[in-house]
């Protein structure tokens, strides 16, 4: 029982053992069946052949002695003995002739001489005396060696005259079968060894990379170190697994790099205004505070710097919040027109200050999108702020909404501002990217995070954002959002209708 349990746990301990065990079992089973079948067939064939030979011999002898058998005289018996001796010595068989009562008349080459005895009780003799060909294999003599006997009835037209029994020891045949068996066993053993070697090799090929992967995963889990990769030199499924694992590590490295870059950039961005604040404060302490005009100027620039610092921190917090995905509900039903209206109100003062004209075309009231109102409003504020910021006085900022198509609504925010150089276009959604570095340093620009945050928010609404710009004449951002199913639309229409009468 415990050895069975041991085998059981050995088998399921590793994939290699399962492969090895299964292959060995299947090979051994198949070869055993083949061996059994082959030996069985060889034995049956050889026995039949031998039997035929003995029968032919008996028939030949029968033709020679049938006359003498019917005579039943001493002379005739002598002649029978002579014929028996001749045949037996020629072929090395044992030959026995009995009369119709079953008494031995003549014999030659027997293992145990039975001259004169009545052997009618021997099974092959009794069969033959009854008129049918007797055929038996049985152990004979002191050594109990197996013999094969064929007993042939010699018949006159009226009766059985006697029986000729031809026998041969099966030692040769059995020896040959034993040799065959040994040969087959040798084949089985070498096949099992080959199978074992192949399956061990195969199992190792399969399990080695898997071990490698799990070892590396453990190390990564423990130390967080993602510098190592699993080596791949294969194209099969295991190779694919290793490749995907390495891809995953590659992705982790990218994320890690992005995070490090982000922290480096954020610190740098925070450092610049902080240093500037330090210098202004120093200047004030050094005496600038005495001069009312200077003091007022320095305080204004302090106010600007602090405001800049605050807006950067706001953006950083937004990014962190979006990255962490914390506590933001993304499944509210939002009336798109309300969201846009509120965003526009937030930048109206700024636009008026700059004398930029706002031209707003609101979407129909029944347009519902699913997401987060505050976040979506933030996205539109970012786009509108940019539009106002990058448009000179007397320019125009316009929002227009295209009719719903394929379940999507397109909101265009366009301006008549500076436009964006085509070399900058692919990067403006990257974090901290600003096309005009000097502008932001002077304090008029933003943090370079606005569009990155905007795109993230639009993505969370399952929407897309794209940009089209002509330097010198203006820019259009297009926000495409999925609108809630037609049912929502019907319902809100229905609600309007019922409120009418
Ligand atoms: N409406 C626009 N017109 C011209 N340039 C724009 C406009 N919107 C964005 N940009 C360019 O894209 C850059 C990235 O925008 P954003 O992420 O909002 O950062 P910023 O804080 O500089 O506004 C800006 O620095 C600016 O160069
Ligand atoms: Mg901006």
């Amino acid at each position: 029982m415990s050895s069975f349990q041991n085998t059981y746990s050995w088998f399921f301990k590793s994939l290699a053992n399962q492969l090895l065990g299964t292959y060995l079992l299947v090979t051994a089973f198949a070869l055993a069946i083949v061996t059994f079948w082959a030996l069985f067939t060889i034995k049956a064939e050889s026995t039949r052949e031998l039997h035929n030979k003995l029968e032919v011999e008996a028939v030949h002898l029968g033709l020679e002695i049938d006359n003498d058998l019917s005579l039943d005289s001493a002379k005739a018996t002598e002649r029978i003995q002579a014929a028996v001796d001749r045949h037996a010595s020629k072929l090395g068989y044992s030959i026995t002739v009995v009369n119709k009562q079953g008494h031995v008349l003549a014999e030659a080459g027997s293992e145990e001489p039975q001259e004169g005895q009545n052997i009618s009780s021997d099974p092959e003799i009794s069969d033959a005396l009854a008129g049918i060909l007797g055929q038996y294999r049985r152990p004979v003599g002191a050594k109990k060696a197996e013999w094969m006997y064929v007993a042939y009835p010699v018949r006159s037209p009226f009766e059985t005259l006697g029986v000729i029994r031809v026998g041969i020891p099966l030692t040769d045949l059995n020896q040959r079968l034993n040799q065959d068996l040994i040969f087959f066993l040798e084949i089985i053993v070498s096949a099992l060894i080959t199978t074992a070697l192949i399956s061990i090799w195969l199992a190792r090929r399969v399990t080695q990379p898997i071990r490698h992967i799990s070892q590396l995963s453990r190390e990564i889990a423990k130390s967080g170190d993602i510098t190592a990769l699993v080596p791949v030199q294969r194209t099969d499924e295991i190779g694919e697994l290793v490749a995907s694992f390495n891809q995953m590590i590659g992705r982790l490295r990218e994320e890690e790099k992005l995070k490090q870059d982000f922290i480096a950039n954020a610190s740098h961005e925070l450092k610049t205004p902080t240093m500037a604040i330090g210098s202004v404060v120093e200047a004030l302490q050094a005496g600038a505070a005495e001069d009312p005009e200077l003091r007022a100027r320095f305080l204004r620039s302090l106010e600007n710097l602090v405001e800049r610092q605050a807006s950067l921190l706001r953006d950083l917090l937004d990014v962190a919040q979006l990255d962490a995905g914390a506590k933001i509900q993304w499944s509210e039903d939002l009336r798109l027109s309300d969201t846009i209206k509120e965003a526009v109100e937030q930048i109206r003062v700024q636009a008026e200050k700059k004398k930029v004209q706002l031209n707003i075309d609101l979407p129909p009231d029944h347009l519902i999108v699913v997401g987060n109102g505050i976040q979506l409003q933030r996205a539109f504020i970012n786009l509108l702020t940019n539009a106002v910021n990058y448009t000179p006085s007397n320019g125009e900022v316009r929002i227009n909404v295209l009719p719903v198509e394929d379940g999507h609504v397109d909101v265009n925010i366009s301006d008549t501002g500076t436009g964006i150089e085509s070399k900058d276009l692919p990067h403006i959604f990257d974090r901290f990217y600003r096309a005009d570095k000097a502008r932001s340093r002077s304090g008029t620009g933003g943090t370079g995070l606005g569009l990155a945050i905007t795109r993230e928010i639009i993505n969370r609404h399952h929407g897309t954002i794209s940009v089209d710009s002509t330097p010198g004449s203006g820019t259009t951002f297009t926000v495409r959002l999925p609108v809630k199913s037609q049912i929502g639309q019907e319902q809100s229409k229905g609600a309007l209708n019922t409120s009418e009468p």
Side-chain angles (χ1 to χ4, degrees), residues 382 385-386 389-390 446-448 450-451:
N382 282 351
T385 310
N386 282 349
N389 260 346
Y390 299 106
T447 58
L451 284 180

Side-chain angles (χ1 to χ4, degrees), residues 315 382-383 386-391 415 417-420 424 427-430 432-436 440 445-454 469 474-475 477:
D315 281 355
N382 282 351
L383 293 173
N386 282 349
V388 173
N389 260 346
Y390 299 106
T391 301
D415 60 59
T418 57
I420 303 166
D424 293 318
H427 306 293
I428 55 169
F429 293 102
D430 294 349
F432 298 111
Y433 190 87
R434 280 168 302 218
D436 184 353
S440 58
T447 58
L449 285 170
L451 284 180
I453 293 171
T454 302
S469 184
T475 307
F477 283 90

Side-chain angles (χ1 to χ4, degrees), residues 30 90 98 119 143 152 154 169 173 180 199 224 230 243 280 319 339 345 375 397 417 434 451 478:
K90 192 175 77 193
V98 302
I119 56 168
K143 286 188 227 150
Y152 169 72
V154 184
L173 178 67
D180 286 352
S199 57
V230 182
V280 175
V319 171
T339 308
E345 287 322 308
Q375 298 293 335
V397 169
R434 280 168 302 218
L451 284 180
T478 303

Side-chain angles (χ1 to χ4, degrees), residues 46-179:
S46 318
T47 316
R48 188 163 38 240
E49 219 171 87
L50 215 50
H51 172 257
N52 286 346
K53 268 195 203 157
L54 297 184
E55 192 181 339
V56 166
E57 192 52 34
V59 171
H60 276 167
L61 185 58
L63 288 174
E64 246 180 274
I65 63 170
D66 56 349
N67 248 338
D68 291 327
L69 262 180
S70 65
L71 289 177
D72 194 15
S73 68
K75 260 275 185 283
T77 308
E78 249 170 57
R79 278 198 299 274
I80 290 174
Q81 181 65 54
V84 165
D85 284 341
R86 210 166 52 244
H87 278 265
S89 67
K90 192 175 77 193
L91 294 164
Y93 298 160
S94 113
I95 300 178
T96 312
V97 177
V98 302
N99 65 13
K100 58 186 166 201
Q101 285 82 32
H103 288 285
V104 174
L105 285 183
E107 63 177 337
S110 296
E111 180 76 7
E112 31 178 25
Q114 296 161 307
E115 208 187 328
Q117 288 175 30
N118 187 321
I119 56 168
S120 61
S121 62
D122 284 359
E124 69 278 2
I125 301 290
S126 85
D127 274 5
L129 285 174
I132 52 177
L133 190 75
Q135 193 224 138
Y136 281 91
R137 272 181 283 158
R138 55 188 165 87
V140 170
K143 286 188 227 150
K144 294 282 169 208
E146 195 186 18
W147 280 66
M148 177 188 216
Y149 288 118
V150 169
Y152 169 72
V154 184
R155 297 172 59 91
S156 77
F158 316 105
E159 55 171 348
T160 301
L161 298 171
V163 171
I164 298 172
R165 183 179 74 180
V166 186
I168 191 167
L170 289 178
T171 28
D172 277 2
L173 178 67
N174 284 341
Q175 219 167 356
R176 228 182 54 224
L177 286 174
N178 280 343
Q179 275 166 7

